[in-house]
């Protein structure tokens, strides 16, 4: 599966989102043309409270970002290795016609996934961030999967795996966080903050899967 | 909020589910009259793989159960205290007519929640367990909320809080797990196994919220 684990994108800081939009295929954080999220900033604040996501977590996410940034390709290797090792997961990146993995689609998503690590550690939970979360959610559903990358793949990512991915996306970063020069307590707090952010984003990505009026 | 934090149910081991069904109001694990879950055992196994939920986790869940069982009321106090401290959460246990918390409804759910801790640490992921997960999910939705307890409460728990609760239900158990006579590494593994199980159950509870064909 070595073809799944290549990547050479230069990921961009949040001071340079315009450049990220030029270099990362299909990347749209901060694009003023994105439609507004159906979730309000007030609802987002209540979700953050429910998730115990505080200003301290935001600080630990920034710390995590500094530790993770130089390791992004290695982290993506782990995630792509995990997906590639499971037929029930790689199918979402495969050609609908014959079930073979689509290398171009995998590469384009990989570049966004790398930038997503940067974004997760830098998020400021404003309207632009909220709007892009909704766009990311849509890209997993029948409404918009494949469209961004013109990929001839299956029609949707089944909802259950969207939520299930909270666990591998959270568990697998811990050894990478431990590679920084921080105390075990700081590693624990970076990891907890990362997990909260992943759960928060997963909730927002779920919106288009949920029946009208039940979100 | 002291009226939220009372409880005196004797929680039952899995050798005695019939007795639990007699003593815990509305509790139905193992009830052969429950309709089958729309999720298959094969789909459940793929979810466990995606969540990295292994036999080792099952062993650590059993260990966690032994540590948590004598502390169930204290754990429920923390959870009910958290819900009670947030108007956007306590509303799901409140009377629809005037927004006041419904003590009887809170008490009945609390008894099931305590038994749920036992069940989470003892789960064997068989058809009976799967069927009851679906019933639990339904009880959060417009289809069946309030019915079990004849409660005059709001019509549904909004989906976003079902997923968000993964974080407090996971984070708050760690200090309780540390109260046992186990090493920090065992505490970490018990906590990880607990979190995986909570995510797995949350996925299954989500089924009735998700649009047809997208789960």
């Amino acid at each position: 599966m070595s073809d799944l684990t290549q990547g050479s994108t230069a990921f961009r800081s949040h001071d340079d989102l315009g450049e990220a939009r030029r270099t990362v295929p299909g990347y749209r954080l901060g694009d003023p043309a994105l439609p507004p999220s159906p979730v309000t900033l007030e609802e987002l604040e209540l979700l953050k409270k429910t998730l115990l996501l505080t200003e301290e977590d935001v600080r630990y996410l920034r710390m995590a970002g500094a530790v993770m940034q130089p390791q992004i390709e290695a982290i993506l290797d782990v995630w792509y290795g995990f997906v590639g090792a499971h037929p029930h997961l790689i199918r979402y990146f495969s050609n609908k016609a014959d079930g073979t993995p689509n290398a171009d689609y995998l590469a384009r998503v990989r570049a966004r996934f790398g930038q997503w690590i940067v974004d997760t550690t830098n998020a400021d939970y404003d309207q632009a961030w909220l709007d892009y979360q909704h766009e990311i959610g849509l890209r997993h559903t029948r409404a918009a999967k494949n469209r961004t990358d013109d990929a001839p793949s299956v029609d949707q990512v089944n909802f259950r795996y969207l939520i299930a991915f909270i666990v591998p996306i959270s568990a697998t970063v811990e050894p990478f966080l431990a590679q920084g020069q921080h105390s075990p307590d700081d590693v624990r707090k970076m990891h907890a903050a990362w997990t909260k952010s992943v759960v928060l984003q997963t909730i927002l990505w779920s919106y288009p899967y949920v029946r009208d009026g039940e979100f």
Side-chain angles (χ1 to χ4, degrees), chain A residues 39-51 53 124-127 129-130 133 200-201 204:
Chain A
V39 180
T40 67
L41 286 170
E42 190 182 5
E43 289 166 339
L44 178 63
E45 283 308 307
L46 290 177
L47 276 173
K48 285 166 65 183
K49 279 188 185 157
T50 313
L51 292 162
L53 200 164
D124 48 14
Y125 313 107
D126 60 4
Q127 189 65 47
W129 181 86
L130 199 52
Q133 298 312 310
L200 176 60
Q201 292 178 76
L204 298 171

Side-chain angles (χ1 to χ4, degrees), chain A residues 7-193:
Chain A
S8 58
T9 306
F11 302 108
R12 302 292 169 171
S13 77
H14 270 211
D15 300 332
D16 203 10
L17 282 183
E19 182 61 19
R21 287 199 299 275
R22 277 185 290 277
T23 56
V24 179
Y27 178 70
R28 294 188 66 187
L29 178 58
D31 180 346
L34 273 181
S37 167
V39 180
T40 67
L41 286 170
E42 190 182 5
E43 289 166 339
L44 178 63
E45 283 308 307
L46 290 177
L47 276 173
K48 285 166 65 183
K49 279 188 185 157
T50 313
L51 292 162
L52 309 159
L53 200 164
T54 65
E55 286 305 310
E56 183 182 81
D57 290 303
V58 172
R59 287 196 297 278
Y60 276 101
L61 281 167
R62 302 291 182 269
M63 187 189 287
V67 175
M68 292 169 84
Q69 185 121 8
Q71 305 182 85
I72 286 178
E73 292 298 346
I75 296 168
L76 293 171
D77 283 351
V78 170
W79 292 348
Y80 268 57
F82 179 73
V83 169
H86 290 93
H88 71 284
L89 300 176
I90 190 66
R91 70 180 288 274
Y92 296 113
F93 291 100
S94 296
N95 296 306
K96 194 176 177 180
D98 63 5
T100 56
N102 184 309
D104 185 53
Y105 185 32
L106 280 156
R108 289 173 58 97
V109 172
R110 183 182 168 111
R112 289 199 296 277
F113 221 162
Q115 184 65 40
W116 175 81
I117 294 174
V118 176
D119 294 343
T120 295
T121 59
N122 276 304
D124 48 14
Y125 313 107
D126 60 4
Q127 189 65 47
W129 181 86
L130 199 52
D131 296 345
Y132 190 48
Q133 298 312 310
H134 190 63
E135 169 68 13
I136 292 174
L138 284 169
R139 290 179 183 186
H140 292 79
T141 70
R142 286 174 174 154
K145 187 173 179 289
N146 308 325
R147 197 177 291 173
T148 302
D149 304 300
D150 197 21
S153 187
V154 297
D155 297 339
Q156 65 174 345
V157 177
N158 285 88
F159 166 83
R160 60 189 183 272
Y161 294 122
L162 194 78
I163 309 294
F165 250 68
I166 291 171
V167 172
I169 292 293
S170 170
T172 56
V173 303
E174 198 170 19
F176 292 101
L177 293 172
Q179 292 297 312
Q181 302 303 312
H182 298 285
S183 69
D185 190 54
D186 280 345
V187 171
R188 197 178 59 76
K189 286 176 176 167
M190 285 189 281
H191 189 223

